[in-house]
Amino acid sequence: RVGEGIIVHLGRVARGTIREGDGVRAVIDSARRRDIMRNHTATHLLHAALHELLGEHAKQAGSLVAPDRLRFDFTHLSALTEEERQAVEQRVNEKISEALPVSARVMGFDEALRRGAMALFGEKYGERVRVVEVDGYSRELCGGTHLTNTAQIGLFKIVAEGSAAAGIRRIEGVTGRGALAYLRQQEEAVREIADVLRVAPGEVAARVRRLQEQLRHMERELTSLQRVKGTQDLDRLVQEAPLVQGVRVIVKRQDGLSHDALRRLGDLLREAAPSSVFVLGSVVNGKVNLVAMTTPEAVARGLRSDAILRVVAPIVGGSGGGDASLAQAGGRDVSHLGEALEEAKQFVLHHLGSPQQ
């Protein structure tokens, strides 16, 4: 059993053999040690910042200091808001930029507590303790390795915040080389996304928001199309439409559909009624969309889709274009869409002749 106050080094024999009494030479991995020191001193700054910004209840409940990261558990009942997270990160970096001296002193346990040093609840301490102080900001009982100045941390970045247990939150962060590697990774991810979206990195967020809105609109369109696509509804719509000289005249309003979606709806109707004329209208975002589709049988009778919309589009304050079989138009006056569709229906019926059952 190892006695109190004895420092033990653990090692692994990678080559050869080792026997009791052999001489060894211990060499510190300086770069790794500096990384640990950065994360350890940053942990003390983080503890003080949480105590200051969240309240005195925010105390250490566990921690990990590794070369590549730090992990800090603390008592707190709710997740940090984005504003709280940013404030904590900002305060730690402020103390880093202030280049505060870091010192360690050994003193009596009672004296350390009188000086305001924070001790961990449930931890066993001897009569003499080591106090690590960040000048004017943090004072804790600690036996670990630290920097001599907060500026040596370089940069502190929170990479995650979440629940560790009931009433315990966990912050994970990086400093120094780890922070630089993290930021480079984030920068590369944004650059890759920007390349995919074909925008500048600074425009990624705006482009993603536009794509999300387009996706939501397409989902609404799909829902609307699915309501019409049901065989029963589609057949009923076709059967209820006037039949004029063998041509079905289908005029329908289906709000929430773009021109593309109206054309897809027209394709569905054309499958159910191969000899037909369609005039479809929709209101989207306060604007009118109109699509007219004419099958070859109707075109052969001299009825053109573009001619229909030339009559209808002005009623909704718009205009459009197309050809004999397909035309589309837009307008600003949504209040007259019903009137426009009725005019389209009468125009087609008049052109083809009286309805037949």
Side-chain angles (χ1 to χ4, degrees):
R1 182 184 175 195
V2 178
E4 182 179 348
I6 297 177
I7 298 174
V8 177
H9 292 277
L10 300 179
R12 180 173 59 88
V13 179
R15 227 175 27 246
T17 58
I18 187 170
R19 297 179 178 83
E20 183 178 350
D22 286 351
V24 296
R25 182 165 60 98
V27 178
I28 296 174
D29 184 338
S30 299
R32 180 179 182 276
R33 175 60 64 88
R34 283 193 296 271
D35 289 335
I36 293 173
M37 294 163 72
R38 291 188 187 99
N39 285 331
H40 203 166
T41 302
T43 297
H44 282 217
L45 293 179
L46 174 60
H47 192 185
L50 291 168
H51 201 68
E52 173 190 1
L53 298 174
L54 299 185
E56 294 184 359
H57 67 278
K59 295 182 179 180
Q60 181 175 338
S63 71
L64 168 71
V65 176
D68 60 335
R69 72 192 189 283
L70 65 88
R71 188 180 71 215
F72 189 77
D73 296 346
F74 60 99
T75 50
H76 193 58
L77 294 178
S78 60
L80 268 63
T81 65
E82 183 60 29
E83 291 75 15
E84 289 172 333
R85 175 171 165 162
Q86 290 181 8
V88 169
E89 185 177 274
Q90 178 66 25
R91 185 58 51 86
V92 172
N93 281 298
E94 285 174 358
K95 297 307 174 182
I96 292 172
S97 65
E98 289 175 14
L100 301 176
V102 181
S103 60
R105 292 179 56 194
V106 176
M107 62 184 71
F109 178 70
D110 292 338
E111 180 187 357
L113 295 184
R114 284 196 303 270
R115 289 174 174 266
M118 283 196 284
L120 299 184
F121 178 77
E123 190 77 13
K124 293 183 179 180
Y125 296 99
E127 294 182 3
R128 304 285 289 174
V129 292
R130 183 170 178 264
V131 178
V132 174
E133 180 176 0
V134 177
D135 189 31
Y137 191 64
S138 166
R139 188 179 290 116
E140 292 190 38
L141 304 186
C142 180
T145 183
H146 282 272
L147 303 168
T148 58
N149 191 288
T150 60
Q152 294 169 323
I153 297 173
L155 175 68
F156 169 72
K157 182 68 182 172
I158 295 175
V159 298
E161 189 275 333
S163 174
I168 304 294
R169 305 299 298 179
R170 171 172 292 173
I171 283 179
E172 297 184 44
V174 287
T175 65
R177 294 192 302 174
L180 181 58
Y182 173 80
L183 293 175
R184 282 175 175 167
Q185 182 184 46
Q186 297 299 303
E187 184 181 52
E188 182 59 29
V190 172
R191 186 181 297 112
E192 288 182 11
I193 295 171
D195 289 343
V196 172
L197 298 177
R198 297 182 180 179
V199 297
E203 300 171 357
V204 165
R207 178 59 173 153
V208 170
R209 282 192 290 270
R210 286 197 298 272
L211 288 174
Q212 286 179 321
E213 180 55 36
Q214 291 172 10
L215 178 60
R216 286 192 290 267
H217 179 64
M218 291 176 68
E219 288 173 344
R220 291 193 295 267
E221 287 186 342
L222 179 59
T223 300
S224 186
L225 281 172
Q226 286 172 336
R227 286 199 298 266
V228 180
K229 187 177 180 180
T231 304
Q232 186 176 359
D233 291 342
L234 203 62
D235 289 344
R236 183 169 58 247
L237 179 60
V238 171
Q239 293 302 319
E240 291 176 353
L243 178 63
V244 184
Q245 303 300 328
V247 177
R248 288 289 179 187
V249 180
I250 300 175
V251 179
K252 180 173 178 60
R253 174 173 177 168
Q254 188 75 28
D255 288 340
L257 300 185
S258 64
H259 284 114
D260 287 342
L262 287 174
R263 288 196 298 270
R264 290 195 292 271
L265 176 56
D267 290 336
L268 292 173
L269 292 169
R270 184 161 49 192
E271 292 177 6
S275 179
S276 50
V277 175
F278 314 108
V279 182
L280 308 173
S282 176
V283 174
V284 180
N285 297 327
K287 296 181 180 179
V288 175
N289 293 330
L290 288 167
V291 167
M293 299 177 70
T294 311
T295 60
E297 293 83 350
V299 173
R301 295 169 184 257
L303 187 59
R304 296 175 58 93
S305 295
D306 50 1
I308 298 172
L309 291 193
R310 274 197 297 271
V311 174
V312 173
I315 298 176
V316 292
S319 60
D323 54 28
S325 61
L326 173 64
Q328 65 183 43
R332 299 178 301 276
D333 191 348
V334 300
S335 64
H336 286 82
L337 177 56
E339 178 186 342
L341 292 176
E342 180 60 29
E343 180 64 24
K345 181 178 180 180
Q346 294 305 320
F347 178 85
V348 174
L349 292 176
H350 178 75
H351 186 90
L352 291 176
S354 300
Q356 297 177 355
Q357 298 302 325

